[in-house]
Amino acid sequence: MGSSHAVSGAAGWLGGCAVLAAAGAPAGPPVVVVGTVIAAGAALLPDCDHPSSCVAYTFGPVSRFVCRRIGRACAVLHARTRTPLDVRDLDGHRTLTHTVLFALVTGLLAAAGGWLGGIVAAAVVTFATTGLAIRALWPKRKRGTLGATLGGLVTAAALVTFGPADGWWWLGVPVAFGCLAHIAGDAMTNTGVPALFPLPIGGRRWRRLRTPRMLRFGTGGRAEHLVRWLLVAGAIGAGWLLAV
Ligand SMILES: [Zn+2]
């Protein structure tokens, strides 16, 4: 689902920018362009809890190591906080990183980094998210890692060279938005996500939420491909509206 997530983040961000422009409050070019890349990459972040995810293979052994650790930490957190009604979870996948809480905290951290760290923090966030976005569209493992790393470096260098030195607090918005787009996408699958953790629902702290059955699909199936292409069309339409 990696590419579908990335497309959902980019399409959602471009769509939001198009709505703002139509409402008479257009976002500046850096917010539109850089924000789209960041939202696309951040839309993969929640899968940092799985050692075989697109995120894990983005930056080779480094990201695999980090994702394995995050997955284990999530599994421990789930085991220690689940109620008797929650089902057991052994690998930690689709737990803490698939919650609104995670999206908001990650966005706040990025915003604080952009506010305090300026262009340096912006370059770090852009490097990581560009790498993720490229990796999602380039599934070949070895070359994809090289492409993601080089692409991230080039984008971050371009940002440092041509971008303003400060005023990057808004980075947190596309980061949080991308994570939320991922969570919404996973909620449309049969497995669902515990989006509202730690709020107890029906006696469960990790209650998995899903969209109604008619709006659900299995991962990798025809429905997912259709949704992805609809999102691509939406992104192109929003981009065109912003350009004219
Ligand atoms: Zn996921």
Side-chain angles (χ1 to χ4, degrees):
M1 272 188 92
S3 58
S4 301
H5 284 310
V7 170
S8 73
W13 187 258
L14 281 171
C17 290
V19 169
L20 281 178
V31 175
V32 175
V33 178
V34 181
T36 300
V37 175
I38 291 176
L44 283 102
L45 265 185
D47 278 347
C48 65
D49 62 359
H50 198 288
S52 298
S53 67
C54 188
V55 183
Y57 283 97
T58 297
F59 298 115
V62 176
S63 50
R64 270 205 301 284
F65 174 81
V66 171
C67 288
R68 207 173 291 126
R69 290 298 165 112
I70 291 175
R72 282 184 198 154
C74 286
V76 170
L77 176 73
H78 184 276
R80 291 188 179 171
T81 57
R82 75 183 177 95
T83 70
L85 293 178
D86 280 311
V87 292
R88 290 186 69 193
D89 184 288
L90 298 178
D91 66 359
H93 183 43
R94 288 202 182 193
T95 55
L96 181 63
T97 62
H98 287 69
T99 63
V100 173
L101 177 66
F102 172 83
L104 295 181
V105 170
T106 308
L108 280 174
L109 288 174
W115 190 28
L116 299 172
I119 192 72
V120 176
V124 171
V125 173
T126 307
F127 165 75
T129 49
T130 302
L132 290 172
I134 292 174
R135 196 70 174 89
L137 303 172
W138 196 343
K140 286 189 178 179
R141 291 192 172 178
K142 287 184 180 173
R143 289 181 187 170
T145 298
L146 182 63
T149 306
L150 289 177
L153 285 173
V154 168
T155 312
L159 194 76
V160 170
T161 306
F162 301 109
D166 52 15
W168 291 101
W169 64 268
W170 59 268
L171 285 179
V173 183
V175 167
F177 181 87
C179 292
L180 290 173
H182 180 113
I183 292 164
D186 278 358
M188 295 179 75
T189 65
N190 295 322
T191 311
V193 285
L196 297 183
F197 169 84
L199 292 180
I201 302 173
R204 298 180 189 183
R205 209 171 269 136
W206 294 96
R207 175 76 180 261
R208 293 201 170 193
L209 304 178
R210 297 177 291 183
T211 51
R213 191 177 294 275
M214 63 180 295
L215 293 176
R216 266 185 246 155
F217 51 81
T219 54
R222 281 186 184 177
E224 184 191 330
H225 291 304
L226 176 65
V227 170
R228 183 168 58 227
W229 284 111
L230 286 174
L231 287 169
V232 168
I236 293 170
W240 180 76
L241 284 173
L242 287 164
V244 294

